[in-house]
Amino acid sequence: MGAYGPDLEWRSRGLPLIKNKERNGRMTDIFKDNRVCVIMRNLPTKDIKDFVKAVSEGGIKLFEVTMNTEDALQQIRLLRAEFGSEIFVGAGTVLNKKMCETARDAGAQFFVTPSVNREVLEFCVERKIPVLPGIYTASEAAVCLEYGIHRMKFFPAVGVSENYVKALQGPFQEAEFWAVGGVSLENLEDYMARGFQGVGLGSSFVGKELLEGGQWEKIREYVSKRMKEIFG
């Protein structure tokens, strides 16, 4: 067992942290190749390019724009146009098929949901769109696996007992869980040790002072420093 829990020996196994490539014309498994996603909820559109540039240069390449953000579709389009294949841009808080369609048309490359919605799962599976469905219970995990989806967002992860996720993986050995809620670059390793294979970070993880002050270079330096400390 590695430092980050079962099947998470990233350093020793040489698993890549970032792989923004296509294979045979199809996008590779972005959730396998990138283990940290930044969740952007109500981040001002005027700041979003500078913020994403700083964080991506620090080493994080997955960005989720929540659909309950004002100008969410505009932000998705803006980021896709500005950064191209340098990052992956997804839509979060996706509640139904209609949201999937509008987000996809805006350029979203993956979806994240707050719950298990069969309509959304069917939409994504049929179109081979990567999706992280939100789960908390064994029955919800079972539904996702029924659709062939084995990576899931575990929300809220804050306050969950240390052994819960490992216990959940007992009957669902092929399932992988991403921790969302209460996670930061300061405690990320603790969540990995509990059995989580990936995490979602709120945009405030860089600190309110740096974010509101537009201190992009300091944000880049902080992210770069912590990502190197965690992943090598």
Side-chain angles (χ1 to χ4, degrees):
M1 183 182 298
Y4 299 106
D7 300 321
L8 291 176
E9 300 170 63
W10 295 338
R11 290 194 181 104
S12 62
R13 292 165 59 195
L15 291 178
L17 177 63
I18 298 163
K19 188 189 291 180
N20 292 358
K21 297 181 180 179
E22 291 188 357
R23 185 174 299 152
N24 299 325
R26 293 183 179 180
M27 190 180 298
T28 59
D29 189 339
I30 60 176
F31 299 130
K32 176 182 178 182
D33 298 331
N34 301 276
R35 299 290 179 153
V36 181
C37 179
V38 175
I39 304 163
M40 298 180 293
R41 189 185 307 276
N42 297 322
L43 190 66
T45 300
K46 67 180 180 63
D47 294 333
I48 199 165
K49 286 197 297 185
D50 290 329
F51 174 77
V52 169
K53 182 175 186 293
V55 174
S56 64
E57 288 180 353
I60 299 175
K61 302 297 181 179
L62 278 183
F63 294 88
E64 169 195 338
V65 179
T66 65
M67 289 294 283
N68 57 355
T69 293
E70 187 176 0
D71 300 328
L73 299 178
Q74 178 187 345
Q75 290 186 2
I76 292 171
R77 293 190 192 98
L78 186 155
L79 293 176
R80 289 302 313 279
E82 179 71 18
F83 295 96
S85 61
E86 295 177 23
I87 64 171
F88 291 114
V89 182
T93 319
V94 175
L95 304 176
N96 51 52
K97 181 180 178 180
K98 180 62 176 178
M99 279 187 165
C100 289
E101 292 171 338
T102 56
R104 179 198 58 182
D105 292 345
Q109 295 165 288
F110 64 91
F111 297 135
V112 182
T113 75
S115 61
V116 176
N117 182 300
R118 288 182 179 271
E119 183 182 56
V120 171
L121 299 187
E122 290 171 3
F123 181 91
C124 293
V125 170
E126 289 173 0
R127 293 160 181 80
K128 295 181 172 59
I129 299 173
V131 59
L132 275 181
I135 70 104
Y136 196 83
T137 67
S139 58
E140 291 169 327
V143 171
C144 294
L145 292 171
E146 178 185 331
Y147 284 88
I149 299 168
H150 68 277
R151 289 191 179 88
M152 308 162 206
K153 166 183 133 179
F154 188 93
F155 177 83
V158 63
V160 68
S161 66
E162 291 187 7
N163 296 320
Y164 183 83
V165 170
K166 292 179 181 179
L168 198 58
Q169 286 177 316
F172 304 119
Q173 294 182 7
E174 67 271 45
E176 295 186 4
F177 302 106
W178 281 50
V180 176
V183 189
S184 71
L185 284 182
E186 299 304 315
N187 63 14
L188 187 155
E189 290 160 300
D190 294 336
Y191 281 91
M192 295 300 183
R194 297 181 189 180
F196 290 103
Q197 280 87 358
V199 300
L201 309 173
S203 55
S204 61
F205 79 94
V206 298
K208 184 177 179 180
E209 181 178 337
L210 293 183
L211 188 59
E212 293 186 352
Q215 300 186 53
W216 312 121
E217 180 58 23
K218 288 187 177 180
I219 289 174
R220 185 197 67 77
E221 292 174 354
Y222 169 69
V223 174
S224 178
K225 177 176 180 292
R226 286 299 293 145
M227 291 293 282
K228 288 177 181 176
E229 290 173 348
I230 296 169
F231 297 104

